[in-house]
Amino acid sequence: MLIDIALGFLISFGVNSMLRPVLRRSGWIDSPGERKLHARPTVISGGLGLFLAVAIGLLLLQVQATSILPSLAAVALMFFTGFLDDHTPIRARYRLIVQVVASFALVVATGAVVPNLEIWKNTDIAALPGFAIAISMLWMVGLINAVNMSDGSDGVSSGYGAIALIGILVFHGLSGSTPALSTPVAHSTQLLLLGGIFAFFLFNYPLRRGRHAIAFLGDGGSMMLGFVVGWALLKAGLPSGTDKPLSLWYAAWLIALPGFDATYCVVRRMLNGKDPTTPDRQHLHHLLKAYGFSKRRLAVTLHFTALILASFGIFLWYRGVPEYAAFWLLAGALIIYSSVVTVAWNLLAASSSTRQFNVTPSTSVGSERG
């Protein structure tokens, strides 16, 4: 396990160290703009580092499994779609088509189909015809976009991914499952990706106050990250040497915070009559920035919260809480999250209106800070 993580770390570190100048000259940079408030143009090398950590790592480790080629092909399709989008924007509908195709290919080729999904006692909706594959694909596409949407501040989305992947390792350790034997490709991919994220932190995570990121994930990196994490969580729900797999409603807690944020934003846009794919600046990281959080404080706060939620999901699984109860607890947490965030935005809007109303005649509105 440590060899896989170390190999992913070294490949990702090498790519970010050596290829940043090449990517900069090739135009793979993220420049500040209307919705992008970072201080300076930044090279989009993080996603390439993660992809090559997985692709080269799997080839060097010589993982023996019939699913290695279709798995790599699906991951490559997801990454390069986002990577091209970083350079030349691709319309949201076409990205969505690729996400559906890649998710379907990976789910079917590797058998990562949710085996059961209770929403009430003895009520398994995955048993309905066609529902198992449909739910698995919806899960994959949802996580791809949830992680991608969360990539708006240094270290946030990569940290979410690391927490989820570590949570799966904790599950394997507690359950006594044998993923290296039962799901070797998914397991090695997960470990290589985790090592790659640790290396990326050195170039992106706000480890100290005032530090500027020198590399970004980009859409290629964040979409691939959500893709692999979603796949790994599905595989953890399959029998793998344990009679107590990590069913989907427990697994959802491991990546709950970006899921809550994405669900809230999509529903809010639809209720306001907007296209749910239309980007805006009303995500959770935008809210915390509006309340004055620094990049470091923001990342630490979000990751601590995500870690608490993930730990709660593992606790529910470990204590044998019924799967349908885990679902309703998750739904309740989403309602609480949505209520708190809505109140926070309303207070912020009211505070902003009050400040504008109290501006004295001798003060120029254009000179106000905030």
Side-chain angles (χ1 to χ4, degrees):
M1 184 175 73
L2 292 178
I3 291 175
D4 290 22
I5 294 175
L7 181 59
F9 181 96
L10 291 174
I11 296 172
S12 177
F13 182 83
V15 169
N16 280 283
S17 297
M18 295 185 290
L19 293 188
R20 283 206 328 277
V22 177
L23 292 172
R24 181 180 293 277
R25 289 195 297 270
S26 302
W28 260 275
I29 57 174
D30 196 343
S31 300
E34 181 180 354
R35 291 188 302 105
K36 301 178 179 182
L37 304 181
H38 50 281
R40 63 196 70 180
T42 304
V43 180
I44 308 172
S45 61
L48 184 60
L50 296 187
F51 172 70
L52 292 179
V54 170
I56 296 175
L58 286 176
L59 296 175
L60 290 178
L61 292 171
Q62 297 183 335
V63 177
Q64 300 298 320
T66 57
S67 62
I68 186 171
L69 290 181
S71 300
L72 262 180
V75 172
L77 175 61
M78 184 56 55
F79 166 70
F80 281 110
T81 299
F83 191 60
L84 292 175
D85 184 54
D86 289 324
H87 189 273
T88 305
I90 301 173
R91 296 185 69 174
R93 69 180 66 175
Y94 299 131
R95 292 201 308 271
L96 182 61
I97 291 173
V98 173
Q99 291 169 8
V100 171
V101 170
S103 297
F104 179 79
L106 192 63
V107 164
V108 173
T110 65
V113 180
V114 58
N116 60 281
L117 203 61
E118 290 188 355
I119 58 173
W120 199 251
K121 188 176 182 179
N122 300 322
T123 305
D124 182 9
I125 61 174
L128 297 173
F131 264 55
I133 290 180
I135 292 168
S136 301
M137 290 178 58
L138 180 63
W139 166 262
M140 293 285 292
V141 173
L143 272 192
I144 292 167
N145 288 284
V147 174
N148 181 244
M149 287 180 180
S150 70
D151 188 25
S153 187
D154 294 351
V156 172
S157 60
S158 52
Y160 286 151
I163 289 169
L165 294 173
I166 292 171
I168 298 174
L169 295 181
V170 171
F171 153 71
H172 288 315
L174 292 174
S175 67
S177 58
T178 55
L181 298 177
S182 57
T183 57
V185 176
H187 186 59
S188 290
T189 300
Q190 170 190 341
L191 296 175
L192 291 164
L193 182 61
L194 183 59
I197 293 172
F198 288 156
F200 176 64
F201 282 162
L202 300 178
F203 300 87
N204 179 265
Y205 202 90
L207 297 172
R208 62 178 184 274
R209 189 181 301 275
R211 178 181 187 259
H212 293 286
I214 59 175
F216 284 165
L217 274 181
D219 284 342
S222 60
M223 286 170 59
M224 189 196 79
L225 180 59
F227 188 64
V228 173
V229 168
W231 178 41
L233 289 169
L234 280 176
K235 297 294 277 187
L238 302 178
S240 55
T242 176
D243 58 357
K244 192 180 176 183
L246 191 71
S247 300
L248 195 64
W249 296 135
Y250 305 122
W253 285 94
L254 273 62
I255 196 71
L257 193 55
F260 289 168
D261 179 43
T263 302
Y264 174 81
C265 287
V266 168
V267 171
R268 174 182 49 76
R269 292 167 187 169
M270 293 176 67
L271 291 176
N272 290 334
K274 297 181 179 179
D275 184 340
T277 63
T278 302
D280 56 32
R281 298 190 64 246
Q282 287 191 292
H283 288 285
L284 181 57
H285 52 270
H286 293 129
L287 176 63
L288 295 184
K289 286 180 180 178
Y291 273 95
F293 279 55
S294 66
K295 289 182 179 180
R296 180 172 177 269
R297 185 184 174 195
L298 187 152
V300 171
T301 300
L302 292 181
H303 292 154
F304 179 76
T305 305
L307 184 60
I308 294 297
L309 293 171
S311 300
F312 185 65
I314 292 292
F315 171 79
L316 294 176
W317 162 81
Y318 187 74
R319 298 297 298 177
V321 174
E323 185 180 345
Y324 65 85
F327 164 72
W328 289 108
L329 286 170
L330 193 70
L334 174 60
I335 293 172
I336 293 172
Y337 169 87
S338 301
S339 301
V340 171
V341 170
T342 299
V343 170
W345 277 118
N346 289 340
L347 289 175
L348 191 67
S351 175
S352 177
S353 299
T354 301
R355 286 199 303 270
Q356 293 179 9
F357 181 78
N358 289 333
V359 173
T360 60
S362 61
T363 302
S364 170
V365 173
S367 68
E368 286 189 311
R369 300 178 60 188

